[in-house]
Amino acid sequence: MKRRVFLAGALTALAAISSAQAQDYPTRNITMIVPFAAGGPTDVIARIVSGHMEQTLGKPIIIENVVGAGGTTASTRAAKAAPDGYTLITGHMGTHAASVPLYPNLAYHPSKDFEPVGLIAGTPILILGRKDFPPKDLKEFVAYVKANTDKLNVAHAGVGSVSYTSCQLLNAVLDIKPTGVPFNGTGPAMNALVGGQVDYMCDQIVNAVPQIQGGTIKAYAIATPERNPSLPNVPTTKEAGLPAFQAQAWNAIFAPKGTPAPIVAKLNAALSKALDDEGVRKRLLELGSVIPSPAERTPAALGALVTSEIAKWTPVLKPVTN
Ligand code: MLT
């Protein structure tokens, strides 16, 4: 009996401490882990929203790029961090969905080991080629990659990344097996494409808009039902003759499982405020991102998205065995 009273008292005291912590939160710098190299789409998106969120929260958000294994190294680290709101991760469709079927021994589960904070942006996928890649349009691209698959190098950001996953889908649609060249993110992969060291890649729009506008790479098509306002001259895959290839990624903030709900709510409110800010919206839209509606930004909506995306990718992707 005494033991039960003691336990109940201890639990009440713990709840009081955690609610006081949540009220004061944040009292120090917050670390935002980005699971890919600096300068890539995840990094750019994380920096845009964190820059506004830290004004709302009153403490700096420090970006830490932790690379490796298609974003799963960083996600493992974030899942194991103290659940106190001071370590967050900007994850995406790869780290928090596609990684599940690709890595049978994944050290974290996106649904079970994280508290969803909120969706930042949708990021349509484009098929991109080096500037002097011979095909002129998507029809020629399809014929060319089918005829030359053994000689081609496709850049990606590691097994489990969005670029890997979406080009796996493209390979399946075209029934080809080109050689994959992994990088620590599509920031460095894009440099290799611009430099002509790789032939093509499937990348999120955020990384591609400045390069396409600058004429340093070729854009064959965008894999969404509609064209994107930031790239009005790039046809959809449907318009260009490959309707079976449809792909859009997303980026979102997650906290380790057990982060107190009031802290998650504070973070979510700061994220939503950032997404309503005119300057933030302009930067995200110029880079082609799709800004979620208020209903799509809630932790519950993100939790549901993760569940549905794991279910969507599980039958499509084969586990990596080597
Ligand atoms: C990145 O930031 O480098 C990308 O999100 C990588 C990817 O998933 O393709």
Side-chain angles (χ1 to χ4, degrees):
M1 180 66 184
K2 259 191 202 154
R3 192 176 141 76
R4 232 183 274 159
V5 171
F6 172 77
L7 271 178
L11 284 176
T12 313
L14 265 179
I17 291 168
S18 108
S19 126
Q21 262 175 358
Q23 243 171 29
D24 293 347
Y25 172 85
T27 56
R28 57 186 166 89
N29 293 355
I30 298 166
T31 298
M32 176 68 80
I33 296 178
V34 166
F36 295 98
T42 317
D43 183 70
V44 168
I45 284 183
R47 284 177 200 273
I48 293 173
V49 290
S50 297
H52 192 280
M53 285 173 73
E54 63 184 10
Q55 292 167 31
T56 306
L57 295 165
K59 290 287 168 196
I61 299 180
I62 312 294
I63 303 283
E64 196 182 332
N65 299 87
V66 179
V67 301
T72 59
T73 303
S75 305
T76 302
R77 181 157 142 202
K80 293 184 174 156
D84 55 10
Y86 291 98
T87 305
L88 309 172
I89 183 164
T90 299
H92 67 8
M93 178 270 264
T95 57
H96 282 69
S99 58
V100 174
L102 285 169
Y103 291 96
N105 297 320
L106 195 64
Y108 63 93
H109 192 283
S111 302
K112 295 177 196 148
D113 295 324
F114 289 94
E115 303 290 348
V117 172
L119 185 63
I120 309 175
T123 51
I125 303 296
L126 289 139
I127 303 173
L128 307 167
R130 62 180 155 80
K131 195 179 167 185
D132 53 357
F133 201 40
K136 282 195 301 296
D137 56 24
L138 189 62
K139 281 211 172 83
E140 286 190 15
F141 174 90
V142 169
Y144 189 87
V145 297
K146 281 187 174 195
N148 295 284
T149 183
D150 295 347
K151 297 180 211 132
L152 298 178
N153 291 317
V154 185
H156 63 76
V159 175
S161 64
V162 164
S163 42
Y164 174 87
T165 304
S166 38
C167 254
Q168 284 293 105
L169 195 63
L170 180 64
N171 292 347
V173 169
L174 300 180
D175 195 21
I176 56 168
K177 284 200 175 99
T179 303
V181 183
F183 291 83
N184 279 334
T186 53
M190 180 60 79
N191 291 341
L193 191 69
V194 171
Q197 287 106 37
V198 291
D199 297 306
Y200 71 99
M201 73 170 167
C202 303
D203 199 8
Q204 296 166 78
I205 192 164
V206 172
N207 212 25
V209 168
Q211 300 298 346
I212 296 166
Q213 286 171 346
T216 60
I217 56 171
K218 277 183 180 168
Y220 289 105
I222 186 162
T224 45
E226 308 291 336
R227 290 188 184 204
N228 189 284
S230 68
L231 294 171
N233 298 327
V234 176
T236 65
T237 44
K238 186 169 176 214
E239 289 171 327
L242 194 63
F245 182 57
Q246 296 289 322
Q248 169 155 295
W250 45 269
N251 289 259
I253 299 176
F254 297 86
K257 189 78 186 169
T259 303
I263 290 182
V264 171
K266 262 193 188 177
L267 289 166
N268 177 268
L271 169 63
S272 197
K273 194 169 172 193
L275 294 177
D276 285 336
D277 177 78
E278 220 175 288
V280 169
R281 293 179 75 82
K282 186 167 177 284
R283 290 177 70 196
L284 288 174
L285 292 171
E286 275 170 0
L287 292 172
S289 335
V290 180
I291 298 174
S293 68
E296 291 168 328
R297 294 175 201 167
T298 65
L302 177 56
L305 177 68
V306 169
T307 305
S308 71
E309 287 278 279
I310 292 172
K312 171 180 147 186
W313 286 107
T314 297
V316 176
L317 297 168
K318 297 209 172 34
V320 178
T321 46
N322 53 8

